[in-house]
Amino acid sequence: MQLPPLVQTFVLHFGEMGSRWGINRTVGQIYAVLFVAERPLNADEIVERLGVSRSNVSMGLKELQAWNLVRLQHRPGDRRDYFATPEDVWQIVRTLVEERKKREIDPTLTILRELLMQRVETDAERHAQARLGEMHDLFELFTGWYDDMRRLETDRLVQLLSLGTKVQKVLEMKDRLTGRGGRADKRD
Amino acid sequence: MQLPPLVQTFVLHFGEMGSRWGINRTVGQIYAVLFVAERPLNADEIVERLGVSRSNVSMGLKELQAWNLVRLQHRPGDRRDYFATPEDVWQIVRTLVEERKKREIDPTLTILRELLMQRVETDAERHAQARLGEMHDLFELFTGWYDDMRRLETDRLVQLLSLGTKVQKVLEMKDRLTGRGGRADKRD
DNA sequence: TCGTTTTTTCAGAAATTTCTGAAATTGCTA
DNA sequence: TAGCAATTTCAGAAATTTCTGAAAAAACGA
């Protein structure tokens, strides 16, 4: 592995982390290298930096492209493919969340909905169905929220996140000022 | 596998999903079985339902316990260990997020901070460090937000999530009602 | 303590995933 | 279309993970 120590540490860590998610070590490392690179890199440059086979890099890049996590670019007078991560880290977050939702949440929601439609016989099944209903509602709540958030401009999003719990204060104030009620059905 | 079709579908799906996260298939299946069960189950009951070896179940349960995802219980006059998931799905979410943060985010933040402290020589390293800084700030923002959210009672949390983007409206209203200012530094 | 039940451990088998080198394919230019 | 550069594919090798049965350990009651 041909990298400055600082970068190497990061790349190795990111590789390990990647393998805790669905992504394998090499793919994580390729991503890390691209993330910190000063300019787009071609496959051979990645091979050089990571010391893995050319074919491995090819497959890894393909996977990253399937995740929309790297962008393919070209240099004038050079037929090789160059790869880069988006400059904007928020763009990366957005893509990552979107893709994970697509692969993990959406299919689960589909299955849950199917199972909740089924007519069942036994008590055990009825109980299972009730539990699945709880899970379903949870997922719906989260995806609904996410669907709202994704629409926000990054500035606004950051503003909201920075606010954190203080939002609660604002909500309480709203409750006071508007004389309660609204939509949230509380019953205290 | 000895399960009603409805449950079996869910268990198989959850096993697959589990393996996209760091958790292996069997562990995911064990969890799914416990999640939909009407009562706590002992290891042999899980073996029966899933058709895997006793030792596999033992290891799986150990892992789930390490994740704090199952609770160990006892029945009077029965020495066997019984396992259950929390009744409250929100408790499950909280644990899951907390544990993943502990295993994935926190170590990454630690490494990022270390790398950002390092004195570097080359341009490439300086650029890498800048990128790592961006990632670090992002992680800090998220963990700060999470740290706020975890403190909220579930009701409030649900309220907030249901509100979604409307929070923004509430914020604007607040601005109007309180004559601007506050802490959120807007400058439009 | 001994005998019984339950759980855990662990070495090796089985299964799966990852990685490689060689060959095939693609795409370009002359 | 021949020749070259770049990329992709893929069968099998290598590495890793998962799973099992057997044995050990732990927990308990008599």
Side-chain angles (χ1 to χ4, degrees):
Chain A
M1 196 178 277
Q2 199 54 276
L3 289 167
L6 178 113
V7 175
Q8 171 155 333
T9 304
F10 173 68
V11 166
L12 291 176
H13 176 81
F14 211 83
E16 291 314 319
M17 276 308 149
S19 65
R20 296 219 182 162
W21 293 52
I23 282 167
N24 82 44
R25 186 161 60 255
T26 306
V27 174
Q29 291 181 354
I30 293 174
Y31 192 79
V33 163
L34 292 177
F35 180 77
V36 299
E38 289 181 283
R39 54 174 182 76
L41 302 179
N42 66 43
D44 284 322
E45 290 171 321
I46 298 170
V47 166
E48 205 174 277
R49 282 163 166 71
L50 292 181
V52 298
S53 74
R54 180 55 233 263
S55 52
N56 200 358
V57 168
S58 177
M59 293 191 298
L61 286 170
K62 231 184 114 196
E63 180 159 359
L64 286 171
Q65 282 177 284
W67 276 82
N68 275 307
L69 282 170
V70 296
R71 244 165 260 303
L72 174 59
Q73 298 182 11
H74 282 107
R75 292 164 91 71
D78 186 340
R79 342 217 288 249
R80 285 170 296 181
D81 294 339
Y82 283 78
F83 298 89
T85 64
E87 300 264 333
D88 177 10
V89 287
W90 280 97
Q91 186 49 55
I92 296 175
V93 171
R94 285 175 194 268
T95 304
L96 209 57
V97 174
E98 183 66 26
E99 292 290 328
R100 288 190 77 88
K101 173 176 182 289
K102 192 157 70 188
R103 286 154 212 253
E104 291 160 22
I105 308 301
D106 293 349
T108 301
L109 266 174
T110 303
I111 291 224
L112 286 175
R113 274 194 274 265
E114 278 171 27
L115 296 178
L116 289 173
M117 299 285 288
Q118 279 183 26
R119 201 128 180 50
V120 296
E121 303 290 324
T122 68
D123 264 8
E125 285 174 299
R126 257 187 297 281
H127 180 266
Q129 224 173 26
R131 285 295 262 173
L132 298 187
E134 291 177 58
M135 183 180 283
H136 172 269
D137 293 349
L138 202 62
F139 275 50
E140 286 272 273
L141 180 59
F142 280 121
T143 55
W145 175 76
Y146 163 68
D147 237 44
D148 269 4
M149 289 302 138
R150 81 206 293 212
R151 276 187 246 286
L152 290 183
E153 283 168 47
T154 298
D155 288 353
R156 281 290 187 191
L157 191 50
V158 172
Q159 200 188 359
L160 221 57
L161 290 175
S162 313
L163 214 55
T165 282
K166 294 196 212 76
V167 171
Q168 208 193 353
K169 296 257 166 55
V170 176
L171 280 180
E172 281 158 11
M173 186 168 67
K174 182 210 102 184
D175 282 354
R176 274 203 313 284
L177 291 171
T178 61
R180 283 305 166 96
R183 297 162 149 273
D185 46 327
K186 294 189 57 187
R187 65 188 90 113
D188 56 348
Chain B
M1 195 178 275
Q2 200 52 279
L3 289 167
L6 176 113
V7 176
Q8 169 154 333
T9 304
F10 173 67
V11 166
L12 291 177
H13 177 80
F14 211 83
E16 290 315 316
M17 277 308 150
S19 64
R20 297 219 183 162
W21 294 50
I23 284 167
N24 82 43
R25 188 161 60 255
T26 306
V27 174
Q29 291 180 354
I30 293 174
Y31 191 80
V33 162
L34 292 176
F35 180 77
V36 299
E38 287 180 285
R39 54 174 182 78
L41 302 179
N42 66 44
D44 284 322
E45 289 171 322
I46 298 170
V47 167
E48 205 175 278
R49 283 164 165 72
L50 292 182
V52 298
S53 76
R54 181 52 233 262
S55 52
N56 200 357
V57 169
S58 177
M59 292 190 297
L61 286 170
K62 232 183 113 200
E63 180 160 358
L64 286 172
Q65 281 177 285
W67 277 82
N68 275 309
L69 282 171
V70 296
R71 246 166 258 304
L72 174 58
Q73 299 182 10
H74 283 106
R75 293 163 91 71
D78 186 339
R79 338 215 292 250
R80 286 169 296 181
D81 294 338
Y82 283 78
F83 298 88
T85 64
E87 301 263 334
D88 177 10
V89 287
W90 279 96
Q91 187 48 57
I92 297 175
V93 172
R94 285 175 194 268
T95 304
L96 209 56
V97 175
E98 182 66 27
E99 292 290 330
R100 288 191 77 91
K101 172 175 182 292
K102 193 158 69 190
R103 285 155 211 252
E104 291 160 22
I105 309 299
D106 293 349
T108 301
L109 265 175
T110 302
I111 291 225
L112 286 175
R113 274 194 275 265
E114 279 170 26
L115 296 179
L116 289 174
M117 300 283 290
Q118 281 184 25
R119 199 125 180 53
V120 296
E121 303 291 324
T122 67
D123 261 9
E125 285 174 299
R126 258 188 296 282
H127 180 266
Q129 225 174 24
R131 284 295 262 174
L132 298 186
E134 292 176 59
M135 184 180 281
H136 172 271
D137 294 349
L138 202 63
F139 275 52
E140 285 272 276
L141 180 60
F142 280 121
T143 57
W145 175 77
Y146 164 68
D147 236 46
D148 270 3
M149 288 302 137
R150 80 208 291 212
R151 276 187 247 287
L152 290 184
E153 284 168 45
T154 297
D155 287 352
R156 280 292 186 190
L157 191 50
V158 172
Q159 201 188 356
L160 220 58
L161 291 175
S162 314
L163 216 54
T165 283
K166 294 196 213 72
V167 171
Q168 218 191 346
K169 296 257 167 55
V170 176
L171 282 179
E172 281 158 13
M173 183 168 72
K174 183 211 103 187
D175 283 353
R176 275 203 312 283
L177 292 171
T178 62
R180 284 304 167 99
R183 292 161 152 275
D185 46 326
K186 291 185 58 183
R187 65 186 87 116
D188 57 346

